[in-house]
Amino acid sequence: ELLVPHMPTIRVPRSGDRVYKSECAFSYDSPNSEGGLYVCMNTFLAFGREHVERHFRKTGQSVYMHLKRHVREKVRGASGGALPKRRNSKIFLDLDTDDDLNSDDYEYEDEAKLVIFPEHHEIALPNIEELPALVTIACDAVLSSKSPYRKQDPDAWGGELPVSKCANNLTQLDNGVRIPPSGWKCGRCDLRENLWLNLTDGSVLCGKWSSDSSGGNGHALEHYRDTGYPLAVKLGTITPDGADVYSFQEEEPVSDPHLGRHLAHFGIDMLHTHGTENGLRDNDLRPRVSEWEVIQESGTKLKPMYGPGYTGLRNLGNSGYLSSVMQAVFSIPEFQRA
Ligand SMILES: [Zn+2]
Ligand SMILES: [Zn+2]
């Protein structure tokens, strides 16, 4: 009942949400710190003891999950040896164990509870009997979410992609389209990189602008909006082991258990294809698009845009320092007039 007024602020993290539960947004505080770590149940940002109250005052967000890893020296048996090791079901936080502490000499115990500010009311977790189901679901999702720092590790991605719901009954049009092994180009613009083969009609269209320095005009997504054809494969990523498959319908990278058959429909023999960069190895003398040209969006028609969603500078990956220089320069009246 303490939670009732705050229920609208408690969210269940969705697949796109990053849950920060290993380190404070402002300091090095972690669940290992003395004050533990507070995870905001609305934004899933984490705060140490000295920073959480400020977040509460600024945002009014009252409910946090408090995570704390207790470390204590192991109790020694009478013989002086360590007590027999218990299977450690008490550890559930996804944390690196501190290398300074020899884990044979210490035991760890993780604790999670809900804390409501400003009174600092505490509710131990799990508490299925008393908490509303939504809160229990939200807490479970926060606890089981992967640290975003690990989420970006491409190896960790590998085997975990969900199987697309669209893969089993995917319709493939018998339109005679055959995809050549190289020399692709977007069907709606001049882009020759970041191209996606739609597995329903064999159309080859460019992807979206993304932070991995490949440009795109989003024609593949546009095509999905027009047609509803859900799955696309990134050209150049096809190897005998698989390929990058994206589901527009599920809005995430997926795996396609019938990928070999789906590609063969458009004349691609997956087992004899090796990731290429659009045939640049062949006699194509076109210079490789440099990162600078991608950043300038050279070759694409640019329209001046402003309004919601177009304000600010997008981080392209470690480009924040450039953005801050740009903003400083743009604040100079002489430059604005030039
Ligand atoms: Zn802090
Ligand atoms: Zn395009």
Side-chain angles (χ1 to χ4, degrees):
E1 56 294 1
L2 288 171
L3 279 172
V4 170
H6 308 297
M7 284 301 289
T9 69
I10 298 178
R11 290 205 302 127
V12 179
R14 291 184 304 252
S15 64
D17 282 319
R18 294 176 161 204
V19 178
Y20 295 88
K21 53 177 185 177
S22 54
E23 197 171 273
C24 171
F26 299 107
S27 69
Y28 292 113
D29 287 338
S30 79
N32 287 311
S33 307
E34 206 181 328
L37 192 70
Y38 294 79
V39 179
C40 172
M41 290 302 289
N42 184 258
T43 62
F44 312 116
L45 293 168
F47 305 95
R49 188 72 191 90
E50 317 99 76
H51 298 272
V52 65
E53 301 223 20
R54 188 177 50 193
H55 184 70
F56 162 67
R57 284 197 305 272
K58 266 173 63 180
T59 65
Q61 173 61 29
S62 291
V63 184
Y64 298 84
M65 183 183 288
H66 184 243
L67 300 172
K68 171 85 180 105
R69 172 162 288 182
H70 300 279
V71 181
R72 49 180 156 268
E73 213 166 335
K74 267 186 190 164
V75 185
R76 299 278 162 179
S79 60
L83 290 172
K85 238 186 197 165
R86 267 177 292 172
R87 272 276 151 251
N88 238 327
S89 58
K90 291 180 172 178
I91 293 187
F92 52 80
L93 294 176
D94 182 20
L95 289 173
D96 295 325
T97 29
D98 196 335
D99 290 335
D100 297 341
L101 300 177
N102 182 347
S103 59
D104 283 342
D105 296 334
Y106 293 87
E107 52 185 11
Y108 302 90
E109 189 176 336
D110 292 339
E111 185 190 13
K113 55 195 176 197
L114 282 181
V115 175
I116 307 169
F117 280 84
E119 302 87 352
H120 213 278
H121 285 302
E122 297 182 0
I123 303 171
L125 293 173
N127 189 343
I128 300 165
E129 295 79 30
E130 289 175 46
L131 289 176
L134 174 91
V135 177
T136 297
I137 292 168
C139 292
D140 285 351
V142 167
L143 286 173
S144 60
S145 67
K146 286 227 167 63
S147 165
Y149 304 110
R150 297 191 184 181
K151 220 174 204 169
Q152 288 173 327
D153 180 350
D155 290 335
W157 265 118
E160 293 179 9
L161 290 181
V163 172
S164 172
K165 292 185 206 80
C166 312
N168 263 327
N169 300 309
L170 187 76
T171 307
Q172 293 195 285
L173 305 181
D174 276 316
N175 54 9
V177 170
R178 287 288 174 275
I179 303 301
S182 66
W184 317 295
K185 177 181 138 344
C186 175
R188 297 191 192 172
C189 69
D190 290 329
L191 287 181
R192 289 170 178 272
E193 284 195 332
N194 189 14
L195 296 175
W196 295 78
L197 166 68
N198 191 296
L199 288 176
T200 297
D201 64 355
S203 62
V204 173
L205 295 164
C206 62
K208 283 208 292 188
W209 174 271
S210 76
S211 58
D212 65 2
S213 84
S214 53
N217 295 322
H219 287 135
L221 178 63
E222 209 173 276
H223 187 58
Y224 165 71
R225 292 204 177 113
D226 294 343
T227 62
Y229 301 157
L231 292 182
V233 173
K234 188 170 188 177
L235 291 172
T237 67
I238 301 165
T239 68
D241 297 325
D244 292 353
V245 182
Y246 187 81
S247 167
F248 297 110
Q249 189 177 316
E250 288 140 293
E251 297 185 358
E252 61 180 346
V254 293
S255 73
D256 172 3
H258 310 293
L259 185 60
R261 175 163 57 80
H262 289 155
L263 289 171
H265 184 89
F266 297 110
I268 297 174
D269 178 358
M270 185 169 122
L271 295 180
H272 295 95
T273 307
H274 306 281
T276 63
E277 287 171 15
N278 207 359
L280 292 178
R281 287 178 202 164
D282 302 333
N283 291 331
D284 197 338
L285 290 178
R286 196 177 63 89
R288 179 155 165 62
V289 175
S290 74
E291 210 161 301
W292 179 239
E293 284 170 306
V294 172
I295 288 170
Q296 288 180 300
E297 304 182 67
S298 52
T300 60
K301 281 195 195 110
L302 297 180
K303 236 191 327 190
M305 304 262 247
Y306 61 91
Y310 295 112
T311 304
L313 296 164
R314 189 173 302 178
N315 195 312
L316 303 175
N318 301 324
S319 64
Y321 67 101
L322 277 173
S323 300
S324 60
V325 170
M326 293 287 283
Q327 280 172 331
V329 168
F330 271 97
S331 71
I332 301 170
E334 284 79 2
F335 186 87
Q336 290 172 0
R337 272 182 253 117

